Amino acid sequence: QQQVKQSPQSLIVQKGGIPIINCAYENTAFDYFPWYQQFPGKGPALLIAIRPDVSEKKEGRFTISFNKSAKQFSLHIMDSQPGDSATYFCAASQITNFGNEKLTFGTGTRLTIIP
Amino acid sequence: SQTIHQWPATLVQPVGSPLSLECTVEGTSNPNLYWYRQAAGRGLQLLFYSVGIGQISSEVPQNLSASRPQDRQFILSSKKLLLSDSGFYLCAYERQGAPHEQFFGPGTRLTVL
């Protein structure tokens, strides 16, 4: 059962455009929503994250928009560059009985920025 | 600073053979440790996590097992590999007292033939 749905599966945008990746979740126990960036053959790296009591967060050219009532959140990349070409994963985090966090990932979006 | 290592980087194994993948973390004590598998088109699937030596939580019943023999060592094993075990295996750690941020290792590409 997929608890975090991500779309689109792939996305091609011209340099300078604003790619938008969308995610939706069902489990209201999720309490933190990170985005990860992964380059081919590498492990994912944390890009930006948001808590559900905030509607928007910006870090540099990356912005997360969060709609708690709709259980949806999205990643926007401003002034996209060819170096942003990577696979992006949204995730949702919940605390376990041991006090650590476990992540549920979306299926990923392969983003290509063309010059 | 902290670093995370995984080995081997790539592995090709026949069906029915055993498996042992290792993950080690440097620069932090008592980290929370995680094993994920990444398959094409399916994102990252959490397999196991551990909050301390000897403690393992399993997320998905399968042909794999995990162990944590030392504070900063996490091992993923199988007695007999299946074709469906092929994938990209990622180890991650989370520092104690710094939740919400998991750092991933470089991964192991496993191909079962």
Side-chain angles (χ1 to χ4, degrees), chain A residues 52-85:
Chain A
D53 55 349
V54 176
S55 61
E56 184 177 278
K57 183 175 181 180
K58 290 184 180 180
E59 285 188 5
R61 295 184 293 109
F62 300 92
T63 300
I64 301 178
S65 298
F66 189 87
N67 185 330
K68 187 174 181 179
S69 61
K71 298 181 190 173
Q72 295 175 348
F73 57 111
S74 60
L75 176 70
H76 301 229
I77 306 176
M78 305 302 178
D79 187 27
S80 58
Q81 302 296 315
D84 296 329
S85 298

